[in-house]
Amino acid sequence: MDSNATTTEQKWSYLFEEFENPSSQNGKNILGGKGAALANMTKLGLPIPPGFIITTDCCNAYHANDKVSPPGLWDQVKRQVSALETKLGRGFGNPENPLLISVRSGSPVSMPGMMDTILNLGLNDETVKGLVRQTNDERFAWDAYRRFVSLFSQIVLGIEHEKFERVLDRYKAGTRMDSELTADELKEIVSIFKKIVVAEYFKEFPEDVDEQLKMAIAAVFDSWMGKRAVDYRRVHRIPGDLGTAVNIQSMVFGNLGETSGTGVCFTRNPSTGEARLYGEYLLNAQGEDVVAGIRTPNPISVLETAMPDIYRNLQEICNQLEHHYREMQDIEFTIERAKLYILQTRTGKRTGASAVKIAVAMVKEGLIDERTAVQRVSPEQLDQLLHPMIDPDDTTEVLATGLPASPGAAQGIVVFSPDEAEEMAKAGDKVILVRRETSPDDFHGMVLAQAILTQHGGMTSHAAVVARGMGKPCVAGASDLNINYSHNEFSVGDITVTRGEWITVDGTHGAVYRGKIPTVQPHLDEDFELLMKWADSFRRLLVRANADTGHDSDVARNYGAQGIGLCRTEHMFFGENRLEVMREMILATGAGNREKALDKLLPFQKQDFIEIFRAMAGLSVTIRLLDPPLHEFLPNKVELLAELTELKFRARQSGPGDMDLLIDEIADKRRLLRRVEQLSEANPMLGLRGCRLGIVVPEVTRMQVRAIVEAACEVAGEGVDVRPEIMIPLVSTAEEFKNQAEIVREVARQVMNEHGMDMNYLVGTMIELPRAALVADQIAEVADFFSFGTNDLTQTTLGLSRDDSARFLPFYVDKKIYPDDPFQTLDTVGVGELVKIAIERGRKTNPKLKVGICGEHGGDPRSIEFFNSIGLDYVSCSPFRVPIARLSAAHSAIRSAN
Amino acid sequence: MDSNATTTEQKWSYLFEEFENPSSQNGKNILGGKGAALANMTKLGLPIPPGFIITTDCCNAYHANDKVSPPGLWDQVKRQVSALETKLGRGFGNPENPLLISVRSGSPVSMPGMMDTILNLGLNDETVKGLVRQTNDERFAWDAYRRFVSLFSQIVLGIEHEKFERVLDRYKAGTRMDSELTADELKEIVSIFKKIVVAEYFKEFPEDVDEQLKMAIAAVFDSWMGKRAVDYRRVHRIPGDLGTAVNIQSMVFGNLGETSGTGVCFTRNPSTGEARLYGEYLLNAQGEDVVAGIRTPNPISVLETAMPDIYRNLQEICNQLEHHYREMQDIEFTIERAKLYILQTRTGKRTGASAVKIAVAMVKEGLIDERTAVQRVSPEQLDQLLHPMIDPDDTTEVLATGLPASPGAAQGIVVFSPDEAEEMAKAGDKVILVRRETSPDDFHGMVLAQAILTQHGGMTSHAAVVARGMGKPCVAGASDLNINYSHNEFSVGDITVTRGEWITVDGTHGAVYRGKIPTVQPHLDEDFELLMKWADSFRRLLVRANADTGHDSDVARNYGAQGIGLCRTEHMFFGENRLEVMREMILATGAGNREKALDKLLPFQKQDFIEIFRAMAGLSVTIRLLDPPLHEFLPNKVELLAELTELKFRARQSGPGDMDLLIDEIADKRRLLRRVEQLSEANPMLGLRGCRLGIVVPEVTRMQVRAIVEAACEVAGEGVDVRPEIMIPLVSTAEEFKNQAEIVREVARQVMNEHGMDMNYLVGTMIELPRAALVADQIAEVADFFSFGTNDLTQTTLGLSRDDSARFLPFYVDKKIYPDDPFQTLDTVGVGELVKIAIERGRKTNPKLKVGICGEHGGDPRSIEFFNSIGLDYVSCSPFRVPIARLSAAHSAIRSAN
């Protein structure tokens, strides 16, 4: 290692050209990211203003030694400065021909809270005159000095920026621009600035350039331990001993007239991925002028005609850097009197579309291999690609924010009831359904809405889950909304939005806008397909989809799903005509009437299964038996009660004729209410649901199994390869499983006999209760597969209702009590441990046990990483997440192979 | 072993006097319980009718060999029979002087479903004449024959009892008694019986006495594999290879005139424990006559004057048996023509009072040691002792049944509202509060009721938990009740009970009676105290109590509690005046108003703590910070809504003057409703409660800690040894704990400084979520103690709401899907495993960690056994369960020492 080159004294600093292998990880660790890039570009022979780097080790030594620089540092710095002096023929602090430098921080990982850049260091009352001579531009020189004094005072001496700004404002008198200040005025300003320094700092502004440099270096080191930086590291778990490097570089100027300029440039288009330079520049300007936005920069293409040599030079450098880094680069450059300098290069940020395009193109160009290409696209980028998004250039202000419950953006007119949503959508309107919260009663409206917006509920509330299942944008838990159903309006602060107004919902970012905000539509081209093919070649985990209908199954298969991991049969009951029959079944008294209602439901279910089996020919289809508590299918108790109270009151006021009618109505209503009350539960999540229903009311299990197996037999009769897997929900003991599995096997045998067929099918269970995980060995003895229902497992393991937690979860995540929302990213320490226990114990008694996961976490990249690491066979997620899961599974496999 | 005595042929049968050591476990295993007792009594020289026993091994051999008796059995039986013949001077099948025998089953463990006794075997058309000669009583002889034929036909040949009964009925013509039938009639009846046998059995009734005996023996063996016996064994996990013995004994008759008789006798009083013979007898009668209840038996004391010699003889035998078995005995005897025979002895069943009295007396008499005495009293018996019970002699029919939610019996008049309960109780009436279910709103009425009866809810519903805490009887989930609040009545089937009627509630057995049923009051005497002292000397587990007030703490300490394991601070908020202030706090907008309300609550809390600390001087007091969701303190949403609807309707109908008033009222109501709606949760059990409240609203934690520490400082200032332990509820991550513990320590430090005091106190947590158990190592690093909240831990681990599970739990337990109600007896396999994991992981990082349990299971004997075995430091239960927990802990310690 270079840093051990001398024996007597550690090497604390390197000239850009001096470090052996700056683009290695070691180089980055010692030189910081920015320094390593500068050193590397220097080695590549690019036009980099000369400079040197003080190492991160030095920063650590400084802090280890109570903020005293290690011995020898200053001698080394002086040697490096004199090397610069020699190279440039200027002198640091030389009044005749001064060398000016910039001082920047630069840690191995990019991090906010670190020190800002100090420019023009080396100026004082003497050297400023040398700068005038060098540039023949008095105004420029004093402007540079003015900037330096205020920046240094602010950053190194800690004097408030505002104090200097006030002086400038006085000189500009509110009308003139900075650039209109004359040299004489600037001289006065510098002199006033220095008085401010004495008043605030109790010492003179340092005229000694060595003193300036020493103080600037210490300021960089100090900023590493500044509150903002320390907080950021704690939150992002960045080790504190990385340290920061200090980059010291000779100045070049883009504001020395019309042959000078400054700009930024991407080697390829970061929005589209097109392989052409992309960026913008300004002539006679410094970097901060571009940022200030007072003048409009030119697109980089203008440079091609304006300064063809410079452009050609830039193009060559871009090619060289892309080939060197094998990555798209984001480059800062400066032109000083018609000479191009490169000031920084780094990996360019990009959109999902661009990421895919660039990754595929680079494979074709031979720059990277397929494995690297797959790793170059993040799941978040892919997600962008799959949904419409708000035009990134749009600047409309956000009306309200909530949870990003289902990605994508959509516009529509506001409606407040599912009936109205249905009616208007059928009439051709685009509607957005706005509800306090949604329930299965709202389903018919949700299906036809463009997007869903709710005031309450979390990432896994009914609205969120259903919306994700349908690939529709949803913002949930937008708690600033104040919805007034009776006035058909909602308000946010002072703003009121009434029924019929247009709004735009951005489910990707959890934002709501007034009006129609332009959106960008997704486009899945052959590059996408190719990248996904490569991803599939690396992954081990299978990816299935959660789908409840033939249509969803088709979508899922198109997105590459390798089967259905979860078909929720209850969703089928919410369709038109069906809810009525379902209620009939629930309200039935006596098994006979109940079976009659069930007989009516059977054909509906069967038809759904037929479509799903056809869509999933040759692939496994896991069908879960009825899971939710029955009262979910009944009208709301509170509303019923209000209706009843009103009816009773009317009856009291009415004449005898009306009274009779009303009394009948009251009796009906009361009967319904009684049943709703009987079925209502204090904690429905922990109540009579899942296999408990099937055990208490076995007729329901029988009907469902009959529908599944009849459908399977019929579709198999068409010559289709049908692979049903019947899943028993909410099991917590082997006895429960046996009870239901016995019914399943009996009915299946009977139906197959009726069809004269024999067919393989599996019977397995959801593992969604902690106890099930703990006794997985007992359950696995009798079950063919486990599917982890990590939504419910999270709810029970953490004692956390997903419907109710929205009120405090953000607070919890914010305070880092939970590292993440556990309904989005699996709590690997708690819930994950139960999953591990269950797999280990389950496979012990049943080595052939198939193990998958069908909770919302099946589509979450970080959770997929965990599922891959613990050896699950598959993940299952909503159809629209399938590509993301495929990519994440590939990433995990590649990482674990490394 | 005796059974291996011969080499060529196994010994399948033993004369009563033949077996070496019949009272050993081996004796019981081979001879069965009944046989071992007969053999033993014979060896003791008691007057036992001679007989022999066929071993359980023989039964197993019979079944192993496809229901063929093993070779040699019959030869052995014949040898034993001839030994009896020799001993008694009679011949089996000898028409001149016949030997009659009884055949009985008898397995090593007492078991229903086994074969009934066959009496008078050896009778046929010839030997019956010999019996006439022996007894000089023709009627007696034919009556014996008639009984034998019907019993044998029924038990051995499997012919329905009814077929014979019908014949008898015809002869009695509905008016005469069995004993009025003449000898001639009995002869006719026997002949008809035999024809029935041919018609049903297709064979003649076996006249051959050997054939009779062979068939009877086989019938005993067969009954071992009968459905009822097999089911019973499966349910009670009794191994099937125990087998049953066959007891064959010569007959004696209690119905041979006025010097004959039969009776049963306890060596001590099974109700009171008094050390005097207790029992009853009938002259000239057989056992079945006593059972039939046609004649009223005499108390055994009458025998002392009627037949003093017999009585003295019986008394001596009883003494001898008690000394031999060192246990109270339940003896059957027969007197045949002035000679006493003992037919059976076994351990006598007894009440709780009797059990304690006998155990203590036997220690004093030197019969048993203290350890044995402690083991002689079961927790269930102790429980009886601690509560009033329905007079065991009362025969009133049960009106309705429900869950035995809180033990004890009480009478009172029915009321349906807590307000009325309060009002009437304060006026001096004894009331029973009848509710669909109870909520904290009902608390003021529950406190003053004699007992509580609910239609809904399980063993751990609000009603049940509160009632147990107060030691008040409660029957919960009496689902046959149909309560009509508006008519102030409830009905069960056709019976309607209206407000003001007397009922009696038996919470020990879950029964409800109409009217005032006599009850027996508990009486805790010095024997009880002595026994508990002995129990305490054996146990390792400490026993604390769950108590929320000074009064409860006093009760608990009187019952021997060694501290408070759980003080629920929220119960304090339900008291008079306090609920108002609590609501004020919840409805407050802004932290300032909230703190004002909290300041009002502080003195209430503090006063409670002062009383508790005083009551628990020198003992630990664990105080849990606020746990339940806030909406529990607010009015019911449904009721509010109904009120609002009614108000709105009235407003519409009213004149302008009223309208104004109503509109104000509506606005108020609406504001309240809005807050209730905001706070209402889909699954409050998994919502914003426990430490989540304290994290979101830290002012509440601050107020509570201040109240605790101020109280502690004040009481300590009185010279009392105060040991507060502050418990943070519903923790699932170490971060939550740290957040709250920091506040606790900060406020405690502050208050102690204000008082100029320093005091030891602990800060710990409830472990009541699966995740907490899994990350117990992390939590234990920062916590001083764990207290397992096994109620909530059961709810989350099993995904089972205790409020809602009453609808299917009985069904589950009945179907053996759960072995027990998991809210009563800990689910050791699931929940228990988490407890074990938590203790193991917790002690790994904090070896000094104090570990206890404060859920309902802390008072359940079987759960205590488990808690003892896994090394908990203490259990905590309701004050009235403390003695039971002490005894159970002693039992567990003794068992684990063995």
Side-chain angles (χ1 to χ4, degrees), chain A residues 55-75:
Chain A
T55 66
T56 56
D57 292 337
C58 184
C59 174
N60 289 332
Y62 172 85
H63 286 293
N65 196 22
D66 233 355
K67 297 196 172 195
V68 176
S69 293
L73 172 64
W74 185 243
D75 287 344

Side-chain angles (χ1 to χ4, degrees), chain A residues 119-185:
Chain A
L119 299 175
N120 305 337
L121 190 139
L123 280 177
N124 56 24
D125 291 349
E126 297 305 314
T127 54
V128 69
K129 293 170 196 160
L131 186 60
V132 173
R133 269 188 293 278
Q134 274 175 5
T135 57
N136 275 324
D137 191 337
E138 192 181 19
R139 198 209 154 273
F140 165 81
W142 281 96
D143 190 46
Y145 193 21
R146 181 269 300 178
R147 289 178 198 242
F148 168 60
V149 173
S150 75
L151 258 179
F152 187 92
S153 299
Q154 192 185 316
I155 295 172
V156 179
L157 307 182
I159 301 172
E160 281 170 40
H161 177 59
E162 227 218 337
K163 296 221 151 63
F164 301 102
E165 210 50 39
R166 232 186 284 148
V167 176
L168 267 186
D169 285 348
R170 189 156 15 102
Y171 272 83
K172 293 189 282 182
T175 55
R176 297 157 70 202
M177 306 230 294
D178 281 17
S179 55
E180 293 175 65
L181 295 172
T182 65
D184 285 344
E185 283 173 324

Side-chain angles (χ1 to χ4, degrees), chain A residues 436 456 482 637-639 641-643 645-646 649-650 652-653 674 677-689 691-693 695-696 730 732-733 735-736 739 769-772 774-775 778 795-805 807-808 811-812 815-819 827 829-831 833-834 837 841, chain B residues 436 456 482 637-639 641-643 645-646 649-650 652-653 674 677-689 691-693 695-696 730 732-733 735-736 739 769-772 774-775 778 795-805 807-808 811-812 815-819 827 829-831 833-834 837 841:
Chain A
R436 292 216 186 103
H456 302 302
N482 212 327
K637 174 169 138 189
V638 171
E639 282 164 22
L641 200 100
E643 286 167 29
T645 310
E646 169 111 20
F649 199 85
R650 272 170 52 204
R652 264 186 273 154
Q653 312 274 329
R674 196 147 44 222
E677 271 178 349
Q678 271 177 3
L679 290 175
S680 91
E681 297 181 305
N683 294 286
M685 171 63 213
L686 310 174
L688 181 54
R689 49 171 291 232
C691 70
R692 295 164 191 169
L693 272 175
I695 290 171
V696 176
L730 210 76
S732 69
T733 75
E735 284 68 28
E736 287 174 316
N739 175 300
L769 295 175
R771 193 185 196 278
L774 295 168
V775 300
Q778 295 172 21
Q795 297 199 76
T796 46
T797 305
L798 274 63
L800 194 68
S801 164
R802 63 185 191 192
D803 293 325
D804 304 313
S805 58
R807 276 160 67 207
F808 58 94
F811 188 85
Y812 257 53
K815 289 220 162 193
K816 290 286 153 192
I817 288 173
Y818 291 154
D827 161 35
V829 177
V831 180
E833 165 121 20
L834 281 176
I837 288 175
R841 296 188 180 179
Chain B
R436 293 218 184 99
H456 303 302
N482 212 325
K637 173 170 141 188
V638 171
E639 282 165 21
L641 200 100
E643 286 167 27
T645 310
E646 169 110 19
F649 200 85
R650 272 170 52 204
R652 265 186 273 155
Q653 312 273 330
R674 198 150 41 225
E677 271 178 349
Q678 271 178 1
L679 289 175
S680 91
E681 297 182 304
N683 295 287
M685 171 62 212
L686 310 175
L688 180 54
R689 49 171 291 233
C691 70
R692 295 163 191 169
L693 273 176
I695 289 171
V696 175
L730 210 76
S732 70
T733 74
E735 283 69 26
E736 289 174 314
N739 175 300
L769 295 173
R771 192 184 197 279
L774 296 167
V775 301
Q778 295 172 20
Q795 296 199 77
T796 46
T797 305
L798 275 63
L800 193 68
S801 162
R802 65 183 190 192
D803 293 325
D804 304 314
S805 57
R807 276 158 67 205
F808 58 94
F811 187 86
Y812 258 53
K815 288 220 161 189
K816 290 286 151 195
I817 289 173
Y818 292 153
D827 162 36
V829 177
V831 181
E833 166 119 19
L834 281 177
I837 288 175
R841 295 187 181 180

Side-chain angles (χ1 to χ4, degrees), chain A residues 85-287:
Chain A
E85 289 173 331
T86 309
K87 219 171 281 172
L88 295 164
R90 292 177 177 172
F92 187 54
N94 180 337
E96 301 305 316
N97 188 14
L99 168 66
L100 301 190
I101 57 178
S102 64
V103 179
R104 286 182 173 90
S105 66
S107 77
V109 292
S110 163
M111 221 179 86
M114 293 300 296
M115 204 188 78
D116 289 335
T117 303
I118 298 177
L119 299 175
N120 305 337
L121 190 139
L123 280 177
N124 56 24
D125 291 349
E126 297 305 314
T127 54
V128 69
K129 293 170 196 160
L131 186 60
V132 173
R133 269 188 293 278
Q134 274 175 5
T135 57
N136 275 324
D137 191 337
E138 192 181 19
R139 198 209 154 273
F140 165 81
W142 281 96
D143 190 46
Y145 193 21
R146 181 269 300 178
R147 289 178 198 242
F148 168 60
V149 173
S150 75
L151 258 179
F152 187 92
S153 299
Q154 192 185 316
I155 295 172
V156 179
L157 307 182
I159 301 172
E160 281 170 40
H161 177 59
E162 227 218 337
K163 296 221 151 63
F164 301 102
E165 210 50 39
R166 232 186 284 148
V167 176
L168 267 186
D169 285 348
R170 189 156 15 102
Y171 272 83
K172 293 189 282 182
T175 55
R176 297 157 70 202
M177 306 230 294
D178 281 17
S179 55
E180 293 175 65
L181 295 172
T182 65
D184 285 344
E185 283 173 324
L186 289 164
K187 282 183 197 168
E188 284 177 33
I189 289 170
V190 167
S191 132
I192 297 171
F193 278 9
K194 291 199 166 177
K195 289 196 177 106
I196 293 175
V197 168
V198 176
E200 295 287 326
Y201 183 59
F202 311 127
K203 278 198 221 167
E204 294 285 345
F205 186 87
E207 290 283 312
D208 177 354
V209 296
D210 284 354
E211 189 63 23
Q212 289 175 359
L213 182 52
K214 275 187 196 162
M215 289 173 80
I217 292 169
V220 172
F221 289 160
D222 290 345
S223 76
W224 178 253
M225 286 300 177
K227 187 170 172 354
R228 237 181 102 204
V230 170
D231 284 351
Y232 185 88
R233 286 200 296 274
R234 187 172 45 76
V235 166
H236 291 85
R237 301 201 177 110
I238 297 169
D241 61 359
L242 285 184
T244 180
V246 187
N247 298 295
I248 294 159
Q249 190 172 21
S250 52
M251 290 294 302
V252 288
F253 298 99
N255 53 348
L256 277 173
E258 289 306 313
T259 57
S260 299
T262 188
V264 290
C265 149
F266 290 83
T267 56
R268 307 193 186 209
N269 188 312
S271 288
T272 65
E274 193 193 1
R276 284 194 49 174
L277 294 197
Y278 177 94
E280 51 191 22
Y281 74 100
L282 259 178
L283 288 186
N284 196 15
Q286 280 198 311

Side-chain angles (χ1 to χ4, degrees), chain B residues 80-113:
Chain B
Q80 309 288 32
V81 169
S82 72
L84 297 191
E85 288 173 332
T86 309
K87 217 171 282 177
L88 295 163
R90 292 175 176 171
F92 188 56
N94 179 339
E96 302 306 318
N97 187 14
L99 168 66
L100 303 189
I101 57 178
S102 65
V103 178
R104 287 183 172 89
S105 65
S107 76
V109 290
S110 162
M111 221 179 86

